[in-house]
Amino acid sequence: MSYKYVPEPFRIKMVETIKMLTKEERIEKAKEANYNMFNLRGEDVYIDLLTDSGTNAMSSKQWAGVMEGDEAYAGAKSYYKLVDAGKDIFGYEFIQPVHQGRAAEKVLFPLMMGPGKVAISNMFFDTTRAHVEIAGARAIDCVVAEAKDPSKRAPFKGNMDVEKLERLINEHGPENVALIVMTITNNSAGGQPVSIQNLREVYEVSRKYNIPLDIDAARFAENAYFIKQREEGYADKSIKEIVREMFSYGDSFTMSAKKDAIVNMGGLIGIKDNAELYQKVKGNTISFEGFVTYGGLSGRDLEALSIGLYEGIDEDYLKYRIGQMEYFAAKLDEAGIAYQSPVGGHGLFIDAAALLPHLKYNDFPGHALAVQLYIEAGIRTCDIGSYMLGNDPDTGEQLESEFEFTRFAIPRRVYTQAHIDIMVDALIKIKENAKDVPGYKITWEPPILRHFQAHLEPKK
């Protein structure tokens, strides 16, 4: 199908020069990085799609806000501006800034779980899963079945399997389920959205068994836009109204604000109305992040975040944002390249197992495609598959992922139509020579979150 590119609802006011190395230089740089895309220097990357976290372009209003940031250690006016924005958008009584999403998890999760406990999610992302395990608990994924078929088009493939959720609660015992986590959008499932109906049903289950529900809210605005576009009864509601209803079906939220709040650094914890829990959150924040009114952030970061929260829910911006992904997806449809469909909110997840059918899960096809994309066109992406999933925390055995994706995470307000066309051309060329792409093996790995640091080499 063809899809017209949605024009940017902004003018470019400042640019950063980028340069593509030669293919020979890129081959050498990949080898020097031990074939780990996180080890590449940013200056050696032409199009950087490793993550959409903190890689966004801030607006002129945000940069103006940077100059107004109040750097007082305690009680800065920028803190109160951020808290007011959080209360207004999410409807929660308590808003706590932290320096990023994993800091929010580090502060909150140990207060809610420990050894012998489990946490259940529609799907945990890597750092969230790690913080569950660091707290001594075990993470269980419970996504709907259609999410496991990349070729199947369904409007809300990020949803929780509610029947399975209730079955898991009864199998483990409600007293042993420390937390239910709803990830919106569902990153590991391909940036797929979660419906209001599913959020409501999961919340009802959480009430039935008296289990707290936390929303992993990194991409809340994109999720709200999908609801407006796809869910019956929401076409005439504003994004803010949809966000308010979404968050009414939770007890807390943890957020990397480096995504939908369009900033380079920042995170939030929201507590709906539990003053006792918030007091404990403040204690951990002081221990891990700094005083509660700055939470590991400078005043200028707090100021930019308070502005970015509103810019991220602007409907014209979201139409362009999702439109970029739909243009990319339409080009891949024309080329016959499989991806998690329909396209997600923050990026496009290539079905690496389909593109590289000669590679098994323990050849890490998602990672193999990521390396090849860098060598082919200077594009940095990452694996969302067995390589990222890692080893079983109890047996040490390599886990097999439900998906073998290579994620193209598109930074907000950064790349243009021409850059997307380069991405498509690189994938087409790799597809034409797919059999020549090698699998990879790990030569060294750390015990937790290995994909950030591991060393690999191509298999012979």
Side-chain angles (χ1 to χ4, degrees), residues 109-357:
F109 283 8
L111 301 173
M112 309 183 84
M113 62 188 72
K117 302 291 185 180
V118 299
I120 305 172
S121 177
N122 53 338
M123 283 196 85
F124 286 100
F125 196 59
D126 57 355
T127 56
T128 317
R129 183 182 302 277
H131 277 108
V132 169
E133 293 174 358
I134 289 168
R138 291 292 175 259
I140 302 173
D141 290 334
C142 190
V143 72
V144 288
E146 54 260 37
K148 301 171 186 179
D149 182 356
S151 65
K152 183 173 183 178
R153 291 183 179 270
F156 294 102
K157 291 173 77 171
N159 279 354
M160 180 85 81
D161 184 333
V162 180
E163 290 185 9
K164 184 178 178 182
L165 168 66
E166 193 156 10
R167 188 165 65 250
L168 285 167
I169 291 170
N170 286 307
E171 285 176 4
H172 289 274
E175 70 281 3
N176 295 317
V177 181
L179 191 64
I180 297 170
V181 178
M182 290 295 285
T183 310
I184 57 171
T185 57
N186 192 329
N187 190 358
S188 294
Q192 297 295 310
V194 174
S195 70
I196 286 277
Q197 180 180 344
N198 189 247
L199 277 166
R200 187 186 301 117
E201 290 173 355
V202 172
Y203 188 62
E204 288 170 356
V205 170
S206 76
R207 299 308 87 180
K208 178 179 178 180
Y209 294 99
N210 196 30
I211 300 168
L213 192 153
D214 181 69
I215 297 174
D216 181 344
R219 299 174 180 89
F220 75 97
E222 292 171 4
N223 199 93
Y225 185 80
F226 281 123
I227 288 169
K228 183 178 177 69
Q229 296 299 308
R230 299 178 182 176
E231 192 161 0
E232 186 177 354
Y234 290 89
D236 296 328
K237 290 186 179 291
S238 70
I239 297 298
K240 185 177 175 182
E241 287 174 326
I242 295 170
V243 168
R244 273 291 190 110
E245 183 173 352
M246 285 163 51
F247 282 81
S248 73
Y249 303 125
D251 300 298
S252 63
F253 71 80
T254 45
M255 177 191 292
S256 169
K258 296 162 67 176
K259 284 85 168 175
D260 273 3
I262 325 180
V263 290
N264 305 125
M265 187 58 65
L268 293 174
I269 299 170
I271 306 295
K272 182 187 281 183
D273 54 16
N274 188 332
E276 181 181 353
L277 177 60
Y278 177 56
Q279 189 61 46
K280 294 176 181 178
V281 164
K282 289 199 291 184
N284 273 3
T285 299
I286 292 170
S287 297
F288 301 145
E289 294 288 284
F291 190 60
V292 293
T293 61
Y294 75 91
L297 295 169
S298 62
R300 54 186 174 269
D301 291 323
L302 297 169
E303 195 78 28
L305 176 49
S306 68
I307 297 167
L309 281 170
Y310 286 105
E311 291 187 354
I313 61 173
D314 177 78
E315 194 167 331
D316 288 338
Y317 154 74
L318 287 167
K319 179 182 178 182
Y320 148 77
R321 170 70 174 162
I322 305 304
Q324 269 198 324
M325 310 307 163
E326 291 175 340
Y327 172 82
F328 191 178
K331 289 287 187 180
L332 294 182
D333 288 338
E334 292 173 1
I337 294 172
Y339 57 91
Q340 175 68 298
S341 62
V343 68
H346 68 287
L348 199 142
F349 290 58
I350 301 297
D351 186 348
L355 189 65
L356 308 173

Side-chain angles (χ1 to χ4, degrees), residues 65-137:
V66 164
M67 300 306 296
E68 294 190 351
D70 182 355
E71 304 300 341
Y73 183 91
K77 64 181 181 182
S78 298
Y79 162 77
Y80 293 106
K81 183 176 179 179
L82 174 59
V83 168
D84 288 344
K87 289 181 176 181
D88 179 42
I89 292 171
F90 303 108
Y92 279 27
E93 185 175 353
F94 305 110
I95 302 292
Q96 176 60 58
V98 289
H99 84 273
Q100 63 182 59
R102 70 192 63 174
E105 295 159 1
K106 180 181 179 182
V107 166
L108 183 64
F109 283 8
L111 301 173
M112 309 183 84
M113 62 188 72
K117 302 291 185 180
V118 299
I120 305 172
S121 177
N122 53 338
M123 283 196 85
F124 286 100
F125 196 59
D126 57 355
T127 56
T128 317
R129 183 182 302 277
H131 277 108
V132 169
E133 293 174 358
I134 289 168

